[in-house]
């Protein structure tokens, strides 16, 4: 009996055509993701860059891919072309002297000049000698445009003679591998020669249409439970693959010519699925670099980073912390004691210190608007009043009779002890003074001390008592910080590697410095960015980040805690075959929508 598997996610097709023998001009990126070689621009025989018509829907352009009647529609603008008529504009006027080159066939594909897309207003995000980048479209058109209504009626054409076949479907091979809870199935269609293909999305699967290809009918139940059917139809062959879900990618290989269908399926709904790079929220860009470096960047006009924490002494999956904050993505942040789930270094949330600083390691902070700060702050609470001012020398709930300590109440954790006094500081005044153990309300800053050691501190409700944070740093405008996390080491600053384990008191012989997976927070091209390295040391990580153009970055953690979550996917960003299950953490950096992330 074939085991029925559970599948999640909608099929996402990367439709890759023939690379051909024409010179590629530049790679193409869509939404920050570099596309396959078959999607690269080509140089037209008469000069100028061009893109294949079949690739344009991924830019948001609706098309009619007919050499006798080409249509390109983007928003309210449209370009049409027919032999003998030339280009016509609908919804706008072609500027004088445009001189658009006519569409040209190159092998099985029809190409149109890049200038046509510029006239349509398709947004270009990168235009360099080595890359042409487009914004990710809001929607991808799936329907072919009908014939142009402004073309004159043509005389009835004679019935064409049947064209000879281009190739035969010689072999169909199927492979399957399972890694943890992720299955990857590969279907290889081996042809006797190169031939064009198209892909049709279907409910629960897909079809690959191979015109002018011959082949034998067959139907096969695959080990995965999928059904594969080959149907000779009309002047070609259709290959139907019923997957019931999963994510499918289509690409071609040469020598011999093959069309490959890779379907990735998440098998266990109890384990969070891997991140799907094709289904990211608008404004989130996913990029990969050599050496296993993965980068998730966030449009600062849409999202801002914040520090989000679990209850004191508790840990949560990063996904849960993201959901609690109403965010779209998050990454674990800062080191902590696994036994107690308490952070071991600086944590600040909403302008309040919830964990004290070791005062030696790099930190990342955020202003109320989400602007990142990098450096080495040494923050301390300072309390002031009619008595003058005092520096708080401890942050946490643990009673320390010899110190003046501060703790942000959570409504459940007890502070204080017999012989000690606890003040609740609210609105620049003492709102309550209590002796012995007490549970401060959520969000209220409690100051605990021995009155014999600190006799100047007030103990009467209503007395003036101010609390501020002295960041003790000049490497960034830390006085503007609302949130902060210390972790380290600082990896990149100003685009250069600045790794210095000795300065930050890291033991490079300990496990914290071993080669493993790593995560960092940085800034790339002006956008806050989560970086993930599949495997390597901090030195490897820093070099990879600088090489990718990251301007500033601080490591957040490594090993089993290093992970990230983006709406719908929870993984180590290492791709579908590098899915990991991360340990729960007490703190995370979460990206929230700008409109809800602004603090009141």
């Amino acid at each position: 009996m074939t085991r029925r598997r559970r599948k999640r996610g909608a099929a996402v097709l990367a439709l890759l055509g023939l690379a051909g023998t024409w010179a590629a001009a530049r790679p193409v990126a869509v939404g920050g993701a570099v596309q396959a070689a078959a999607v690269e621009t080509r140089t037209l025989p008469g000069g100028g860059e061009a893109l294949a018509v079949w690739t344009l829907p991924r830019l948001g352009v609706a098309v009619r891919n007919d050499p006798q009647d080409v249509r390109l529609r983007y928003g309210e603008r449209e370009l049409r072309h027919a032999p003998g008529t030339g280009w016509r504009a609908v919804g706008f006027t072609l500027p004088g002297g445009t001189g658009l080159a006519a569409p040209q066939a190159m092998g099985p594909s029809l190409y149109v000049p890049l200038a046509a897309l510029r006239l349509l207003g398709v947004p270009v995000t990168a235009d360099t000698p080595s890359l042409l980048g487009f914004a990710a479209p809001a929607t991808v058109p799936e329907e072919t445009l009908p014939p142009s209504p402004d073309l004159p009626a043509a005389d009835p054409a004679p019935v064409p003679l049947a064209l000879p076949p281009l190739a035969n479907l010689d072999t169909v091979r199927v492979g399957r591998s399972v890694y943890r809870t992720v299955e990857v199935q590969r279907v290889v269609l081996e042809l006797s020669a190169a031939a064009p293909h198209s892909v049709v999305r279907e409910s629960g699967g897909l079809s690959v249409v191979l015109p002018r290809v011959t082949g034998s009918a067959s139907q096969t139940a695959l080990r995965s439970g999928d059904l594969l059917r080959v149907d000779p139809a009309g002047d070609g062959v259709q290959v139907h693959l019923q997957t019931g879900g999963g994510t499918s990618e289509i690409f071609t290989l040469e020598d011999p010519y093959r069309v490959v269908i890779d379907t990735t399926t998440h098998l266990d709904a109890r384990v969070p699925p891997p991140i799907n790079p094709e289904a990211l929220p608008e404004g989130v860009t996913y990029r990969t670099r050599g050496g296993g470096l993965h980068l998730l960047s966030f449009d600062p006009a849409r999202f801002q980073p914040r520090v989000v924490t679990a209850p004191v002494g508790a840990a949560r999956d990063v996904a849960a912390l993201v959901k609690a904050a109403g965010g779209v993505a998050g990454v674990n942040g800062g080191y902590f004691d696994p036994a107690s789930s308490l952070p071991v270094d600086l944590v600040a949330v909403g302008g309040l210190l919830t964990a004290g600083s070791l005062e030696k390691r790099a930190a990342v902070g955020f202003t109320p608007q989400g602007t990142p700060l990098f450096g080495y702050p040494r923050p301390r609470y300072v309390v002031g009043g009619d008595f003058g001012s005092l520096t708080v020398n401890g942050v946490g709930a643990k009673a320390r009779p010899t110190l003046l300590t501060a703790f942000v109440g959570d409504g459940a954790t007890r502070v204080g002890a017999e012989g000690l006094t606890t003040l609740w500081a609210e609105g620049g005044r003492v709102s309550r003074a209590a002796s012995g153990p007490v549970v401060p309300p959520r969000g209220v800053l409690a100051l605990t001390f021995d009155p014999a050691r600190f006799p100047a501190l007030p103990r009467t409700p209503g007395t003036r008592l101010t609390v501020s944070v002295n960041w003790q740093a000049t490497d960034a405008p830390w006085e503007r910080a609302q949130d902060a996390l210390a972790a380290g080491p600082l990896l990149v600053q100003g685009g250069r590697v600045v790794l210095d384990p000795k300065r930050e008191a890291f033991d490079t012989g300990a496990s914290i410095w071993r080669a493993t997976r790593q995560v960092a927070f940085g800034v790339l091209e002006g956008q806050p960015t989560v970086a993930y390295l599949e495997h390597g040391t901090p030195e490897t990580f820093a070099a990879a980040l600088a090489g990718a153009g990251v301007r500033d970055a601080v490591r957040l953690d490594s090993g089993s805690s290093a992970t990230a979550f983006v709406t719908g996917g929870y993984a180590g960003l290492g791709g579908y075959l590098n899915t990991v299950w991360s340990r729960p953490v007490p703190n995370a950096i979460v990206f929230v929508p700008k409109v809800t992330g602004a603090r009141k």
Side-chain angles (χ1 to χ4, degrees):
M1 179 180 295
T2 302
R3 177 177 57 87
R4 183 173 181 85
R5 55 186 176 159
R6 281 189 277 183
K7 304 188 177 186
R8 298 182 59 176
V12 179
L13 306 180
L15 311 182
L16 311 181
L18 296 173
T21 58
W22 298 272
R26 289 187 287 178
V28 172
V30 180
V34 178
Q35 306 296 290
V39 186
E40 293 178 353
T41 67
R42 296 290 188 269
T43 301
L44 294 171
E49 275 186 285
L51 283 169
V53 175
W54 64 266
T55 68
L56 301 185
R58 67 180 62 198
L59 309 182
V61 179
V63 303
R64 178 174 178 79
N65 193 358
D66 180 350
Q68 303 302 312
D69 181 15
V70 175
R71 296 185 65 184
L72 312 176
R73 179 192 294 165
Y74 187 80
E76 301 299 321
R77 291 189 167 210
E78 182 177 338
L79 285 171
R80 300 172 182 170
H81 184 278
T85 304
W87 287 104
R88 295 103 65 206
V90 178
F92 72 108
T93 301
L94 281 175
T98 302
L100 276 181
Q104 297 189 38
M106 298 183 185
S109 298
L110 186 66
Y111 282 76
V112 293
L114 179 60
L117 301 185
R118 299 186 187 277
L119 288 172
L120 290 173
V122 179
V124 176
T125 58
D127 193 351
T128 70
S130 60
L131 182 70
L132 178 63
F134 295 94
T139 60
V140 176
E142 297 187 12
E143 300 295 329
T144 297
L145 293 175
S148 296
D150 57 351
L151 282 180
D155 294 331
V159 177
L161 297 175
L163 295 174
L166 294 173
N168 183 68
L169 177 56
D170 290 340
T171 307
V172 178
R173 300 195 306 272
V174 180
R176 176 177 180 262
S177 61
V178 177
Y179 182 82
R180 298 188 182 178
T181 64
V182 177
E183 173 197 76
V184 175
Q185 174 180 267
R186 169 165 289 189
V187 176
V188 180
L189 310 176
E190 187 172 312
L191 307 180
S192 61
H197 74 273
S198 61
V199 179
V200 179
R201 306 183 190 193
E202 300 169 341
S203 176
L206 58 94
S207 290
V208 178
V209 180
L210 299 162
R212 297 175 61 191
V213 171
T214 58
S216 302
S218 66
Q219 180 168 303
T220 307
L222 307 182
R223 288 175 55 202
S224 61
D226 294 345
L227 183 65
L228 178 68
R229 190 175 76 251
V230 178
D231 289 336
D235 65 344
V237 168
Q238 291 190 16
V239 179
H240 306 277
L241 181 62
Q242 296 179 8
T243 64
T247 300
S248 296
E249 180 185 16
I250 317 298
F251 58 95
T252 60
L253 297 173
E254 303 289 340
D255 196 25
Y257 187 79
R258 289 151 288 168
V259 178
V260 182
I261 310 169
D262 276 353
T263 301
T264 303
T265 303
H266 187 63
L267 300 175
D268 190 346
R270 297 170 300 176
V271 179
I275 291 173
N276 182 356
E278 299 290 341
L280 297 175
E282 188 173 355
V284 182
T285 302
Y286 173 75
R287 284 168 275 199
T288 61
R289 295 292 184 267
L293 179 64
H294 303 257
L295 302 164
L296 271 174
S297 298
F298 298 80
D299 181 354
R302 293 177 178 269
F303 304 103
Q304 69 178 76
R306 288 175 46 189
V307 175
V308 175
T309 64
V312 177
R316 298 285 186 269
D317 298 332
V318 172
L321 293 175
V322 171
K323 182 178 179 180
V328 300
V331 60
N332 64 293
Y335 307 117
F336 61 96
D337 173 29
S340 65
S341 293
L342 293 176
V344 297
D345 209 337
L346 165 67
V347 179
V349 179
L352 295 175
L353 307 179
T354 60
S357 172
L358 296 177
E359 300 189 0
K360 59 186 177 183
R361 289 182 174 163
V364 58
F366 307 109
T367 69
Q369 295 73 37
T371 302
L373 309 168
F374 298 88
Y376 297 91
R378 297 179 293 117
R380 295 286 190 92
Y381 278 125
V382 176
V383 296
D386 297 337
F387 58 89
S389 65
L390 286 171
T391 298
V392 176
N393 38 28
V395 175
K398 183 179 179 180
R400 301 180 180 182
T402 61
L403 304 178
L404 170 59
T405 61
F407 176 75
V408 179
D410 60 0
T413 303
R414 186 177 66 177
V415 301
E418 293 298 330
L420 302 182
T421 297
T422 298
L423 306 178
W424 294 358
E426 296 183 273
R429 301 281 174 178
V430 176
S431 63
R432 180 183 173 185
S435 297
V438 64
V439 177
R442 180 182 298 275
V444 172
L445 184 65
L447 300 169
T448 301
F449 58 96
D450 180 351
R453 289 180 174 272
F454 299 93
L457 285 173
R459 292 186 290 280
T460 304
T463 306
R464 187 169 70 91
L465 183 68
T466 61
V467 182
S468 61
V469 177
N470 179 7
W471 287 93
Q472 300 186 96
T474 58
D475 48 24
W478 285 95
E479 68 278 359
R480 296 168 50 202
Q482 284 272 20
D483 295 353
L485 278 174
L490 189 65
L491 300 170
V492 179
Q493 191 170 43
R496 300 177 57 190
V497 174
V498 294
L499 189 69
D500 188 350
K502 185 176 181 181
R503 173 180 180 176
E504 299 187 36
F506 279 105
D507 181 359
T508 57
S511 63
I512 198 170
W513 211 261
R514 74 190 187 282
T516 181
R517 66 184 196 255
Q518 315 264 348
V519 288
F521 182 93
V523 174
L524 173 61
E525 298 175 356
Q527 294 190 329
T529 297
V530 172
Y532 175 86
L533 185 69
E534 294 178 20
H535 187 81
T537 63
E539 288 88 352
T540 307
F541 199 14
L545 292 172
V550 172
R551 178 172 178 78
D552 301 286
V554 61
R555 184 175 80 160
L556 297 176
D557 207 341
S558 62
S560 61
S561 299
T563 192
F565 171 86
V566 179
T567 301
Y570 187 27
L573 302 188
Y576 290 113
L577 295 184
N578 193 36
T579 304
V580 293
W581 178 248
S582 171
R583 74 163 73 218
V585 295
N587 307 299
I589 295 176
V590 173
F591 288 85
V592 298
K594 195 82 170 185
V595 65
T596 60
R599 303 196 191 277
K600 297 179 180 180

